[in-house]
């Protein structure tokens, strides 16, 4: 009897210990990610979940760690749906540039480039631990390369079967969809019907189709039309990556291109876009060459360039492309990272050409590019877009900010978007220019991407959701990374919780690696 009484007396204490929060965020203004206005409440976290959101919690549970938000914004962690972290995350699993910018989850494997073996990729991430949550797409370029190499031709029946099997495996292993990079090897050689066939497999497994389209300049209309065709025929939701109109001759076409997206969505088609808030893009140096020249990869290109006839053909193709964009030189192309000669980092092709003692002529600058590619490819920054078009796209409600970056190792002269994408939206386009409102910006960074990519339990501040939480000052948040000095972390975000653990504490990274791998179909 005495034993039973002790058990009964202990029972309330046991229940209390199970429900008592580990962390309570108090004195904050809650932006829950829905787009609704903020409200005052405390947020209680237990383990990796939010267990309560209401006023007065800090007074009820005195043993919990208290975070005083000091009237700052408390929001869900930001979700970046366009990342390229396959290699860099293993070099720096703390993902500092993402964490300081408020990103708690990323979707990698974009532009057709993912891990060859997604199951192994997830195993490796789980083994090292990361500060951010990671989901991935299946990369079409990987699948085509594994299925048929780098050749410029249609796949045979057997090769298609192999690519379909690879796509099926990637989806079963946890990919959240299929991505294409149709300006990159070998995806540039793929006919639309090939992509449709593989997208159908992704659709059958609950995935999305995310595309770096075949063209973002003169033929952007045709490229959007192809993306819509793939979506309709495969019956799959579509995400158009880093939506833009590139090249001065295309400036002002933002109304035309976005109208295509709006029309499709009004017809009941699930299409959304993402965008980085900068007027410069970033990709490799080889994209300045005609597609045919890249068949077989850079080793094959180097063989071609030794043949005077082939080299002239490549140069002619480069000239045609430059003239089509109404450009006279490559001053818009700046080296972000050139492994063969890091002294070229931060310099334009025009500047490099002059420093080599050559006159400022197309042929000399084009040969400078070919000379560089003979040594190695380079990561580049291309200043090709207009601020007016950028702001027009920013206003679209089904547009998500996304950095199109990787985990920074502090080297080279990378695009500042890898450091400051979310802060730049909140500072420049919300606070300063008032292009969109704060509540709307947070919705685009949280619940919108979570819903689109099927990231369950994330993107909203609600009881039962994963405790990916930010505390930031909307009046001081600021991107500090600039083209001339990119390795600068965002300021103004004071706390970041990832799965209930403090990764950023009073503005400093704790080293905590509480991120998880997020698998589709789970």
């Amino acid at each position: 009897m005495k034993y039973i009484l002790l058990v009964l007396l202990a029972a309330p204490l046991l229940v209390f210990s199970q429900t008592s929060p580990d962390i309570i965020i108090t004195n904050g203004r809650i932006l829950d990610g829905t787009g609704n206005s903020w409200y005052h409440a405390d947020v209680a976290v237990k383990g990796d979940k939010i267990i309560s959101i209401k006023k007065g919690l800090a007074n009820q549970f005195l043993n919990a760690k208290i975070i005083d938000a000091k009237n700052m914004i408390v929001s869900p962690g930001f979700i970046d749906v366009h990342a390229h972290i396959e290699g860099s995350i293993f070099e720096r699993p703390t993902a500092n540039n993402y964490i300081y910018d408020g990103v708690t989850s990323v979707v990698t494997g974009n532009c057709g480039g993912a891990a060859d073996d997604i199951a192994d990729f997830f195993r490796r991430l789980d083994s090292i631990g990361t500060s951010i949550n990671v989901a991935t797409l299946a990369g079409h370029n990987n699948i085509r390369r594994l299925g048929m190499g780098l050749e410029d031709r249609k796949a045979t029946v057997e090769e298609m079967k192999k690519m379909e099997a690879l796509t099926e495996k990637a989806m079963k292993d946890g990919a959240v969809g299929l991505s294409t990079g149709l300006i990159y090897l070998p995806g540039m050689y793929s006919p639309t019907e090939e992509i449709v066939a593989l997208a159908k497999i992704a659709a059958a497994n609950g995935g999305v189709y995310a595309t770096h389209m075949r063209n973002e300049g003169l033929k952007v209309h045709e490229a959007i039309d192809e993306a819509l065709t793939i979506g309709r025929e495969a019956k799959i939701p579509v995400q158009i990556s880093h939506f833009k109109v590139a090249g001065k001759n295309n400036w002002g076409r933002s109304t035309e291109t976005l109208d295509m997206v709006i029309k499709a969505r009004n017809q009941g088609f699930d299409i959304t876009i993402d965008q980085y808030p900068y007027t410069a893009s970033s990709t490799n140096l080889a994209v300045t060459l005609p597609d045919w020249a890249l068949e077989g990869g850079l080793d094959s290109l180097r063989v071609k360039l030794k043949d005077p006839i082939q080299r002239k053909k490549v140069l002619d193709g480069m000239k045609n492309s430059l003239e089509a964009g109404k450009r006279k030189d490559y001053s818009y192309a700046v080296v972000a990272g050139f492994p063969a000669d890091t002294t070229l980092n931060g310099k334009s092709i025009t500047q490099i050409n002059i420093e080599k003692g050559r006159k400022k002529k197309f042929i000399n600058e084009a040969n400078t590019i070919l000379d560089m590619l003979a040594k190695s490819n380079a990561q580049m920054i291309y200043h090709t877009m207009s601020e007016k078009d950028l702001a027009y796209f920013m206003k679209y409600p089904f547009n998500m900010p996304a950095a199109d970056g990787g985990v920074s190792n502090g080297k080279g002269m990378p695009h500042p978007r890898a450091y400051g994408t979310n802060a730049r939206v909140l500072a420049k386009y919300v606070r300063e220019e008032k292009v969109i409102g704060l509540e709307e910006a947070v919705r685009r960074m949280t619940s919108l991407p979570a819903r689109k990519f099927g990231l369950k339990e994330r993107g909203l501040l609600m009881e039962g959701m994963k405790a990916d939480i930010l505390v930031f000052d909307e009046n001081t948040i600021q991107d500090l990374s600039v083209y001339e000095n990119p390795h600068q972390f965002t300021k103004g975000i004071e706390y970041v919780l990832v799965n209930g653990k403090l990764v950023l504490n009073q503005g400093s990274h704790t080293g905590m690696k509480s991120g998880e791998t997020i698998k589709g179909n789970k």
Side-chain angles (χ1 to χ4, degrees):
M1 188 66 161
K2 184 177 179 181
Y3 174 76
I4 295 173
L5 181 61
L6 288 171
V7 170
L8 290 173
L9 288 172
L13 295 175
L14 180 63
V15 172
F16 180 85
S17 68
Q18 289 176 335
T19 58
S20 179
D22 300 320
I23 297 173
I24 295 175
I25 303 172
T26 189
N27 297 325
R29 288 176 290 144
I30 308 298
L31 271 183
D32 60 13
T34 63
N36 291 332
S37 59
W38 59 262
Y39 62 94
H40 288 291
D42 295 347
V43 180
V45 173
K46 177 74 173 180
D48 65 349
K49 296 288 184 68
I50 298 170
I51 61 170
S52 183
I53 302 177
K54 61 182 179 181
K55 293 181 178 179
L57 291 173
N59 298 324
Q60 296 179 36
F61 302 101
L62 302 180
N63 291 328
K65 176 179 176 59
I66 303 297
I67 294 176
D68 186 353
K70 299 179 181 178
N71 204 38
M72 289 185 285
I73 296 296
V74 182
S75 79
F78 300 150
I79 299 170
D80 190 319
V81 300
H82 195 104
H84 296 276
I85 66 165
E86 283 70 29
S88 56
I89 189 67
F90 297 102
E91 183 178 350
R92 185 163 292 186
T94 51
N96 296 42
N97 55 308
Y98 280 109
I99 290 296
Y100 279 96
D101 202 40
V103 175
T104 56
S105 301
V106 302
V107 179
T108 193
N110 284 279
C111 296
D116 282 350
D117 186 330
I118 286 172
D120 180 64
F121 177 62
F122 281 141
R123 280 193 296 269
R124 292 173 64 204
L125 288 174
D126 289 335
S127 69
I128 65 166
T130 60
S131 293
I132 54 174
N133 304 308
V134 180
T136 188
L137 296 151
H140 170 245
N141 288 334
N142 302 73
I143 290 165
R144 194 173 217 265
R145 174 176 50 79
L146 293 170
M148 60 177 291
L150 302 177
E151 296 182 36
D152 182 3
R153 61 174 176 81
K154 288 187 177 182
T156 66
V157 172
E158 289 303 313
E159 287 167 342
M160 273 306 304
K161 287 181 180 179
K162 186 174 181 180
M163 287 192 282
E164 288 167 356
L166 288 166
T167 305
E168 181 74 26
K169 181 181 185 302
M171 295 303 299
K172 296 298 184 187
D173 286 344
V176 295
L178 175 72
S179 78
T180 54
L182 299 178
I183 69 165
Y184 301 120
L185 278 172
M188 62 176 65
Y189 303 135
S190 305
T192 303
E193 57 267 24
E194 173 186 307
I195 303 167
V196 169
L198 302 182
K200 285 180 177 179
I201 296 169
N205 286 276
V208 304
Y209 172 62
T211 180
H212 177 142
M213 299 185 297
R214 213 175 288 270
N215 191 282
E216 295 169 331
L218 285 174
K219 296 183 179 180
V220 64
H221 185 284
E222 293 89 334
I224 295 172
D225 190 61
E226 181 185 37
L228 293 171
T229 297
I230 292 166
R232 290 189 176 105
E233 293 190 8
K235 295 181 173 59
I236 189 170
V238 170
Q239 177 83 5
I240 298 182
S241 300
H242 38 63
F243 201 76
K244 65 174 75 75
V245 282
K248 285 186 177 181
N249 52 331
N250 290 299
W251 290 2
R253 294 184 70 189
S254 51
T255 54
E256 169 196 338
T257 56
L258 190 57
D259 280 353
M260 295 178 70
V261 173
I262 293 170
K263 181 179 179 181
R265 192 167 180 88
N266 288 343
Q267 292 171 346
F269 185 63
D270 186 356
I271 179 169
T272 47
I273 63 176
D274 59 68
Q275 172 194 35
Y276 45 79
Y278 301 86
T279 55
S281 62
S282 182
T283 187
N284 64 62
L285 182 60
V287 300
T288 57
L289 274 60
D291 289 355
W292 65 265
L294 300 175
E295 182 180 8
L298 286 182
D299 287 340
S300 178
L301 170 67
R302 288 161 188 150
V303 173
K304 294 184 183 82
L305 294 180
K306 291 178 181 178
D307 180 343
I309 296 175
Q310 291 280 70
R311 189 180 184 97
K312 184 180 184 304
K313 187 178 177 184
V314 171
L315 290 168
D316 288 343
M318 294 172 71
K319 186 176 183 180
N320 291 337
S321 178
L322 202 66
E323 290 177 347
K326 294 186 178 180
R327 293 186 181 275
K328 297 180 180 179
D329 55 43
Y330 290 97
S331 58
Y332 72 96
V334 178
V335 177
F338 185 48
D341 184 356
T342 58
T343 66
L344 303 186
N345 295 346
K347 299 177 181 179
S348 72
I349 295 298
T350 298
Q351 184 180 355
I352 294 166
N353 179 69
I354 292 172
E355 288 182 0
K356 288 184 178 293
R358 298 169 173 172
K359 292 184 178 180
K360 187 180 176 181
K361 293 182 178 180
F362 159 76
I363 191 66
N364 292 336
E365 293 187 10
N367 274 310
T368 294
I369 289 174
L370 298 186
D371 290 346
M372 290 173 66
L373 289 172
K375 297 177 181 178
S376 73
N377 209 342
Q379 187 68 17
M380 303 293 295
I381 293 174
Y382 296 107
H383 295 270
T384 61
M385 292 171 274
S386 87
E387 181 66 29
K388 185 176 180 180
D389 289 327
L390 188 160
Y392 183 78
F393 293 141
M394 183 78 66
K395 295 176 183 178
Y396 183 56
F398 300 104
N399 178 11
M400 312 165 202
D404 192 7
V407 175
S408 177
N409 62 6
K411 299 176 182 177
M413 297 288 285
H415 197 300
R417 66 192 186 188
Y419 282 88
T421 285
N422 294 288
R424 184 172 174 81
V425 171
L426 294 171
K428 180 177 174 64
Y429 295 100
V430 173
R431 185 176 68 233
E432 297 171 10
E433 299 187 5
K434 297 178 173 53
V435 174
I436 56 175
L438 177 62
E439 295 85 355
E440 172 66 1
V442 170
R443 180 189 71 84
R444 307 246 204 110
M445 298 171 178
T446 57
S447 64
L448 180 62
R451 184 211 64 79
K452 181 70 181 199
F453 285 82
L455 309 186
K456 299 175 183 178
E457 300 184 294
R458 303 186 196 273
L460 290 169
L461 284 189
M462 294 176 58
E463 293 179 8
M465 301 291 279
K466 291 282 190 177
D468 295 342
I469 304 172
L470 308 181
V471 178
F472 68 90
D473 187 340
E474 82 274 29
N475 296 310
T476 63
I477 191 169
Q478 186 68 55
D479 57 309
L480 300 180
S481 179
V482 293
Y483 296 107
E484 299 79 14
N485 190 14
H487 300 292
Q488 305 294 319
F489 295 125
T490 284
K491 71 171 186 177
I493 297 179
E494 294 300 313
Y495 298 92
V496 175
L497 276 71
V498 179
N499 296 308
K501 300 294 189 295
L502 266 173
V503 179
L504 200 70
N505 184 21
Q506 294 182 317
S508 296
H509 202 303
T510 65
M512 177 64 67
K513 295 189 291 184
S514 54
E516 299 177 343
T517 51
I518 305 174
K519 300 176 180 65
N521 308 308
K522 303 296 182 186

